[in-house]
Amino acid sequence: MPNDPVLRVEDLTVRFTRRNTNVAAVNGVDFALQAGETLTILGESGSGKSVSLKALMGLLPAYAGVTGKVWLNGQEILGLPATALAKLRGGAVSMIFQEPMAALDPVYTIGEQIAETIVQHEGCDNRTAMKRALGLLEQVKIPSAERRLKNFPHEMSGGMRQRAMIALALACKPSVLLADEPTTALDVTVQIQILLLLRQLQEELGMAIVFVTHDVGAAAEISDRIAVMYAGRFVETGTTRQVMRHPMHPYTQGLLSSTVHGGMRGRALETISGSPPNLAELPPGCAFAPRCRYAADACRQGDIPTVTTETGATARCVRAKEMADA
Amino acid sequence: MSDITLQTQLVSRAEAPAAPPPGYWKSVGQRLLRDKTTMAVSLLLAAILFITLGAPLVTHYDPYVGSVLTRLKPIGTPGHWLGTDETGRDLWTRLCYGGRLSLLAAILPVTISLIVGGFLGILAGYAGGWTGTLIMRTMDVFYAFPSILLAIAICGLLGNGLSNSIIALAVVFIPPMVRVSETVTTQARNLDFVEAARASGTTTLQIIRYHVLANVLGPIMVYATSLISVSIILSAGLSFLGLGVTPPQAEWGLMLNSLRQAIYVQPYVAALPGLMIFVTSMCFNLMSDGVRGAMDVRLNK
């Protein structure tokens, strides 16, 4: 690797302990992200994608136990005091959300909200901040930006709101953008616009993006690398091409073959039987074993080793080698 | 032919520069101006405020000096167009001066409870956990008593007088105010934009000041305005029972009580203070309705 990564995560673990239940939401996640690179965390609901992002931002409630190490631009950020963390949030790292309607304050105009963030981080006066807000709206390609600046969130369409949300997140030129399913609540036609916009902004600003989604199509469109998450673990990682073309983990294979696309005409749609495991009582061994059609005895005991291929892709599966060859 | 006109229409519509939307308060003002009921009651309230605060301008009688010769005159008596009370004082004058204390005794408790209750409610709603539970359960204790009984009990405990009736009513209004502001705060704080604000580096204090307060203030203010109408009736009720303002001071509730004995002699005159209480209370109620409608940006597209 030529440069130091902007974001490096090592053994990130999140536990929710309440009364007698101990929910293992994230179980040791590792990744590193270079500037200008997009990593997609792909997984179904409840696999720990969003929790991982919130753990990175320090947004989890106090009863969540977060351990591991996170370096942002070489600085260790996990366990920083609240004031230091507040400076980083929105500055070096910011976040966009799934529901732009809920993530924007209904009583302020778009311009006021963006300006507020800028004033907060840079301490400039309101007039300058408003001018910057106008520039940001133009950057995210909102038509007649000057007028939109004075709009309330409810006066805009879903796609426009998400653009405004992105403008808000970009207000202080973050080096890492965390995107929590930003296209899930949008129409497909708007989805692709937002994805293209994110790619273009990434090229202009050189930021790294962690993109969380359950949509295989969106993941294929935006990512450089994909990490497939299941039960709080990365079960497979690799470049987009590696994961999409040669999935090694049975879960990834199931996920891909249960996605509808044009190339599947005439074939029966496959589904993954069963449902995700209860995170409060994870089975020993591979968490996917109960649903896996290739499961062997070795899958149900001990730690599952992570297999790395010559090309750098990894899979947490006992039979990864056979799968790759098949 | 028609195709061409249609096309030019489409083009001109697309190219027409859209008018900038008005600011928030300006649009609230515009909606209020368009609402006939709210405008009417606002004018009526302004008139009531004028005759009470500017009482010396609209009447030249002394509210405390009467004459035995002019006792209990009917409405329309020359010189006393609304008649006189049981000690011969001009009723119009008494109503004008009486409104001062009635409004003070009604609005002040609501203001106090707005500040105290709003603070406690936002604290309970935002902090949650033990703090929230402690505040809310304490407030629940007050709910065990009917409001008028609670007010009478506190007044009885503190002794009568204007300030004690204000304190009593403030205590009565704080629990519902806390409950309303706690509910709105809890709703607001669980919305994504509070988390989004945290994600963009906003500190807790700033979130409360900028996001929570702005979303909570509207509903609490509207609730407070509607409480004024209840407060007018309750405070008049306390004076009527002899627990609020003491004679010979003029106050609508008290006047109603002293004119009660004359109800068979001059029923219309005796009903006038009651009419004032009713009209003022009604006006505040309708106004709070109108303001709520105008302030909600989401109701008005």
Side-chain angles (χ1 to χ4, degrees), chain B residues 51-71:
Chain B
I51 61 161
T52 53
L53 296 180
L57 298 174
V58 291
T59 174
H60 54 87
Y61 290 105
D62 187 311
Y64 302 114
V65 180
S67 156
V68 195
L69 296 174
T70 56
R71 285 183 68 212

Side-chain angles (χ1 to χ4, degrees), chain A residues 28 42 70 81 85 110 130 155 189 231 294 307 312:
Chain A
L42 187 64
V70 177
L85 207 54
I110 300 300
M130 265 303 182
E155 295 172 323
T189 47
Y294 306 107
V307 181

Side-chain angles (χ1 to χ4, degrees), chain A residues 14-36:
Chain A
V14 181
R15 295 259 177 291
F16 293 105
T17 315
R18 275 206 142 169
R19 305 214 172 83
N20 296 323
T21 51
N22 184 354
V23 176
V26 181
N27 305 303
V29 159
D30 304 279
F31 65 87
L33 204 57
Q34 306 287 330

Side-chain angles (χ1 to χ4, degrees), chain A residues 226 228 234-256 286 288 292 294 305-326:
Chain A
I226 292 181
V228 180
F234 284 177
V235 290
E236 176 157 7
T237 62
T239 63
T240 308
R241 177 173 277 270
Q242 283 166 346
V243 174
M244 291 289 168
R245 290 282 167 80
H246 310 289
M248 290 187 287
H249 197 284
Y251 176 65
T252 317
Q253 293 173 350
L255 206 60
L256 292 179
C286 177
F288 187 61
C292 182
Y294 306 107
T306 303
V307 181
T308 312
T309 65
E310 308 92 71
T311 46
T314 67
R316 194 187 205 96
C317 181
V318 186
R319 307 180 66 173
K321 269 271 175 307
E322 302 166 44
M323 291 297 183
D325 297 337

